[in-house]
Amino acid sequence: MGSSEMCRDLAGEVEKLLKTSNSYLRKKAALCAVHVIRKVPELMEMFLPATKNLLSEKNHGVLHTSVVLLTEMCERSPDMLLHFRKLVPQLVRILKNLIMSGYSPEHDVSGISDPFLQVRILRLLRILGRSDDDSSEAMNDILAQVATNTETSKNVGNAILYETVLTIMDIKSESGLRVLAINILGRFLLNNDKNIRYVALTSLLKTVQTDHNAVQRHRSTIVDCLKDLDVSIKRRAMELSFALVNGNNIRGMMKELLYFLDSCDPEFKADCASGVFLAAEKYAPSKRWHIDTIMRVLTTAGSYVRDDSVPNLIQLITNSVEMHAYTVQRLYKALLDDISQQPLVQVSSWCIGEYGDLLVSGQCEEEEPIQVTEDEVLDVLEGLLVSNLSTPVTRGYSLTAIMKLSTRFSSVNRIKKVVSIYGSSIDVELQQRAVEYNALFKKYDHMRPALLERMPIMEKTASNGPTEIVQTNGETEPSVPDTKHPPLVTQPANQVRERSRSHDISVLTIAGRFSVTDDNGLKIEFTFERANPNIAVITIHATNTTEADMTDHDLTKYMCGSMIDFCSNTFQLQLLSPSSNIVPALNQGSVTQVIRVLNPQKQQLRMRVKLTYTHKGSPVQDLAEVNNFPPQSWQ
């Protein structure tokens, strides 16, 4: 209960009592010194002289508390740690006497002499031997003796063995000793006590990276723990099982983990599915096996998988050109069996839209092709559009797949009817897609085959991580993330609009002017005039307040409209060329560009602005949505 002030005042008295002849007082003084050090660490050196003789004590209580005091000092001060490393041989002798001595009724627990002191010494040895070759070598033999001579039939012996294992794994021990420690943990996995099994799995999980092969020898026992009734043990066993997966055992381990995924509680399914995806991507022996494995996950735990599983599988399928016919046939069969797993339905819809011609033609060489007609395929996709199991996103995939099939199937009239029906859907996103697709049929039919052709192979580089998939207006496109600036558009446009104000862009509106400024000093000012009641002329002026020019051709590209996107189909734009592709430093010039907006319905103007440029050698990206245009620009 003593405060830090009390500890300062009484530390000297405590230090004197450490030298008293009364062993009971010495024990209490050592415990009090531990408290003083915790409260006022700078008083630690005061107790250094008194600790020199503590380990020569015969009294169990004094020796025990002395080890506790030394441990506290070593943990709190690197200097003390160096100083006390010379005590390792003395600690080794004490521990050896404890394990070699016979029955000692005073401190015996289940036939083991003074197990509490043994555990304390093992912890202190662990601290002293960490990152020190000489100290580690001095304690290797005694650790081996404790590991091989300790009785394991009682819990007290297992406690000592567990502490021994932790010490062996934490110091610079010999390889044979580390294998012995892992074998002890392997025996723990067979123990009836679930607490012992849990600590064994936790310890193996910590050591699997450094002693992978030794842990692999206990793989079958670890996998058996997946069937344990205890939730904590199952979770640790699952984590350890994934850590053991490599190129040699991928097939067997995935078989066990997929079986676990089928039968496990819902709380495990999301993590297990993610683990299977990562392991399959890293160690898949073939593309067919990889696709089959991911499809197995989607069919058994599809509603639990992460959001990025759909685009990642789409990318995998797209890049496996030789597997397109096999994949679309497998996915079509999966749709016939179950449409409740939405990620599976989305991937299936995408693939049928891309490779529906391969499905109907029966080109599958991997297995016996099925006989499917165009109408049967369209029946399935239309069924998804009306199913109450389908989410809005799934319906978007289905409608896009039907539209894609207008260039692969001969049933174009049927597809036109479906598209026209959903032009009045209460789902705004689905309605927008249907209206756009309907416009393709009516106004731009000559462009439709080119717009709906198959997706190209999606590039994926190790340096940038997985390719991200961008889905906009039903079309899926690859987008490789920038390692310095994450992509700003990786989801449907309506979702981008909802979050676009989170970026560091300030907006200012004054009368007939409107400006957007990012935090790097790029300012874009909009001025307005009316050429006639239906046309607004917007002039963009980009200036740069920093000391370095802002370059990169993409700046002018984005300013001229590819990322200045009016959020309504009622507007028509005419974009003129920008005056330059460099924004000079220190406001010494500006880049201008003119946009003419035809707005006959007098709709309020809204636009998304993406600022992309290179500044001081680094690419910069910011995104903002502009909703508060001055009324005179559109009324």
Side-chain angles (χ1 to χ4, degrees):
M1 294 184 293
S3 65
S4 57
E5 291 78 10
M6 185 183 291
C7 289
R8 291 180 191 276
D9 292 341
L10 298 179
E13 301 302 321
V14 174
E15 191 269 340
K16 290 178 185 177
L17 288 171
L18 277 171
K19 302 173 184 176
T20 186
S21 59
N22 187 316
S23 59
Y24 181 80
L25 281 179
R26 287 203 306 278
K27 180 180 76 170
K28 292 295 185 182
L31 290 174
C32 190
V34 172
H35 175 75
V36 171
I37 290 171
R38 289 173 180 169
K39 284 283 186 178
V40 193
E42 58 265 28
L43 296 178
M44 195 182 308
E45 291 187 10
M46 178 184 293
F47 300 104
L48 187 58
T51 57
K52 292 181 178 179
N53 299 320
L54 289 177
L55 290 183
S56 59
E57 288 282 346
K58 300 297 183 184
N59 181 278
H60 155 84
V62 177
L63 187 57
H64 191 149
T65 53
S66 300
V67 174
V68 174
L69 177 59
L70 291 173
T71 302
E72 191 72 28
M73 296 171 78
C74 290
E75 285 182 328
R76 290 182 175 273
S77 169
D79 293 335
M80 292 292 176
L81 179 61
L82 290 173
H83 178 77
F84 288 126
R85 276 199 171 126
K86 63 186 178 184
L87 297 178
V88 169
Q90 193 172 352
L91 288 166
V92 167
R93 282 196 300 273
I94 295 171
L95 187 56
K96 187 171 184 177
N97 289 335
L98 286 172
I99 64 173
M100 299 303 291
S101 64
Y103 176 68
S104 173
E106 186 180 359
H107 306 299
D108 179 272
V109 180
S110 299
I112 294 178
S113 178
D114 210 339
F116 294 100
L117 181 57
Q118 288 194 48
V119 167
R120 285 292 182 183
I121 293 174
L122 286 166
R123 288 181 184 173
L124 180 55
L125 288 174
R126 180 158 74 244
I127 295 169
L128 296 172
R130 189 179 296 146
S131 303
D132 186 75
D133 291 327
D134 294 336
S135 298
S136 297
E137 185 177 355
M139 62 184 77
N140 271 333
D141 289 344
I142 189 61
L143 291 174
Q145 289 183 47
V146 174
T148 53
N149 294 336
T150 301
E151 175 63 44
T152 60
S153 60
K154 300 291 174 61
N155 207 35
V156 63
N158 289 325
I160 293 173
L161 281 176
Y162 178 60
E163 208 67 44
T164 305
V165 168
L166 294 182
T167 301
I168 291 171
M169 304 312 295
D170 216 19
I171 67 171
K172 294 193 170 185
S173 52
E174 299 170 348
S175 60
L177 194 56
R178 298 178 74 87
V179 171
L180 175 61
I182 291 172
N183 289 341
I184 291 172
L185 295 176
R187 292 203 304 272
F188 280 0
L189 293 177
L190 302 173
N191 199 291
N192 292 328
D193 190 320
K194 61 184 178 182
N195 294 314
I196 293 176
R197 296 200 300 276
Y198 179 80
V199 297
L201 289 167
T202 303
S203 302
L204 288 170
L205 191 58
K206 292 178 181 176
T207 61
V208 68
Q209 299 303 324
T210 53
D211 297 272
H212 193 270
N213 290 334
V215 180
Q216 280 283 1
R217 297 190 187 102
H218 304 280
R219 190 172 71 238
S220 60
T221 312
I222 293 166
V223 169
D224 284 341
C225 291
L226 290 171
K227 304 168 187 174
D228 201 287
L229 297 178
D230 187 273
V231 173
S232 299
I233 291 176
K234 277 199 284 194
R235 182 166 293 280
R236 281 287 182 266
M238 179 185 72
E239 293 168 352
L240 184 54
S241 295
F242 279 119
L244 290 176
V245 174
N246 58 29
N248 296 324
N249 63 28
I250 180 70
R251 292 181 184 271
M253 289 296 289
M254 282 300 103
K255 183 178 179 181
E256 296 287 350
L257 287 163
L258 286 171
Y259 176 79
F260 173 73
L261 180 63
D262 286 343
S263 57
C264 69
D265 298 331
E267 61 190 283
F268 292 101
K269 288 187 182 292
D271 291 337
C272 188
S274 295
V276 171
F277 285 160
L278 291 172
E281 183 175 4
K282 191 172 183 180
Y283 299 113
S286 68
K287 286 186 176 180
R288 175 173 175 172
W289 181 93
H290 193 177
I291 291 171
D292 286 345
T293 301
I294 302 302
M295 286 173 55
R296 171 82 180 276
V297 173
L298 292 179
T299 54
T300 57
S303 56
Y304 296 94
V305 300
R306 287 176 10 185
D307 291 341
D308 61 356
S309 61
V310 171
N312 285 343
L313 180 54
I314 286 174
Q315 182 202 8
L316 170 65
I317 293 169
T318 304
N319 291 358
S320 307
V321 178
E322 70 281 6
M323 301 298 299
H324 287 170
Y326 168 76
T327 305
V328 72
Q329 182 168 309
R330 284 288 312 276
L331 288 169
Y332 178 76
K333 287 180 179 178
L335 272 189
L336 296 179
D337 294 336
D338 182 16
I339 61 170
S340 64
Q341 307 284 358
Q342 294 302 288
L344 176 68
V345 175
Q346 292 167 15
V347 174
S348 301
S349 299
W350 191 93
C351 282
I352 292 171
E354 288 292 315
Y355 315 118
D357 51 332
L358 301 180
L359 177 63
V360 172
S361 64
Q363 295 182 16
C364 184
E365 297 179 358
E366 301 292 326
E367 59 182 37
E368 184 178 349
I370 57 176
Q371 300 299 318
V372 185
T373 65
E374 292 183 1
D375 285 336
E376 288 173 336
V377 175
L378 292 173
D379 286 343
V380 171
L381 293 175
E382 288 183 38
L384 297 177
L385 285 171
V386 298
S387 171
N388 57 3
L389 296 174
S390 297
T391 65
V393 173
T394 300
R395 291 191 177 97
Y397 273 92
S398 302
L399 186 62
T400 300
I402 291 172
M403 186 62 187
K404 282 245 177 180
L405 292 177
S406 70
T407 63
R408 295 150 174 75
F409 286 2
S410 59
S411 311
V412 178
N413 289 332
R414 177 177 176 179
I415 293 172
K416 282 182 180 180
K417 290 179 182 178
V418 174
V419 170
S420 63
I421 290 172
Y422 285 90
S424 56
S425 171
I426 59 172
D427 183 335
V428 176
E429 179 72 17
L430 199 62
Q431 180 190 104
Q432 179 179 332
R433 295 185 188 207
V435 168
E436 291 168 351
Y437 298 158
N438 200 40
L440 275 181
F441 280 124
K442 292 181 177 178
K443 295 183 180 180
Y444 309 102
D445 200 52
H446 62 286
M447 299 172 60
R448 183 166 50 85
L451 289 172
L452 301 177
E453 65 183 9
R454 276 192 188 143
M455 290 295 296
I457 291 178
M458 302 176 187
E459 293 297 329
K460 179 176 178 180
T461 59
S463 59
N464 284 345
T467 301
E468 298 199 25
I469 309 297
V470 182
Q471 177 117 3
T472 306
N473 293 337
E475 281 301 307
T476 306
E477 300 174 353
S479 170
V480 181
D482 188 318
T483 54
K484 296 181 179 178
H485 297 84
L488 296 169
V489 184
T490 56
Q491 53 201 351
N494 63 321
Q495 294 181 27
V496 175
R497 292 199 287 273
E498 291 171 4
R499 71 170 199 167
S500 59
R501 282 197 176 275
S502 64
H503 297 270
D504 295 324
I505 301 179
S506 58
V507 178
L508 177 66
T509 304
I510 303 176
R513 292 204 320 274
F514 179 91
S515 66
V516 176
T517 306
D518 78 349
D519 56 2
N520 285 322
L522 176 65
K523 180 178 181 181
I524 296 183
E525 186 175 79
F526 301 81
T527 58
F528 312 96
E529 58 182 294
R530 301 294 288 271
N532 65 49
N534 294 331
I535 296 178
V537 179
I538 304 175
T539 305
I540 296 175
H541 305 267
T543 55
N544 172 13
T545 61
T546 68
E547 298 178 354
D549 290 347
M550 293 178 177
T551 61
D552 197 330
H553 180 71
D554 283 344
L555 171 68
T556 58
K557 171 183 166 187
Y558 289 127
M559 288 179 60
C560 71
S562 66
M563 288 306 295
I564 297 180
D565 174 25
F566 281 84
C567 308
S568 171
N569 294 328
T570 61
F571 305 129
Q572 292 185 23
L573 303 182
Q574 181 184 11
L575 309 172
L576 304 183
S577 299
S579 60
S580 173
N581 64 349
I582 297 176
V583 186
L586 301 173
N587 287 326
Q588 294 181 0
S590 65
V591 174
T592 61
Q593 183 181 14
V594 175
I595 303 178
R596 294 167 62 88
V597 184
L598 176 62
N599 182 16
Q601 299 182 24
K602 302 294 192 299
Q603 295 288 324
Q604 180 176 352
L605 296 181
R606 293 182 298 153
M607 70 162 59
R608 285 199 311 275
V609 180
K610 184 175 183 182
L611 309 179
T612 305
Y613 53 89
T614 299
H615 187 226
K616 297 181 180 179
S618 298
V620 179
Q621 296 186 79
D622 275 315
L623 183 67
E625 182 179 319
V626 178
N627 288 320
N628 50 348
F629 277 84
Q632 60 266 36
S633 66
W634 53 273
Q635 284 183 350

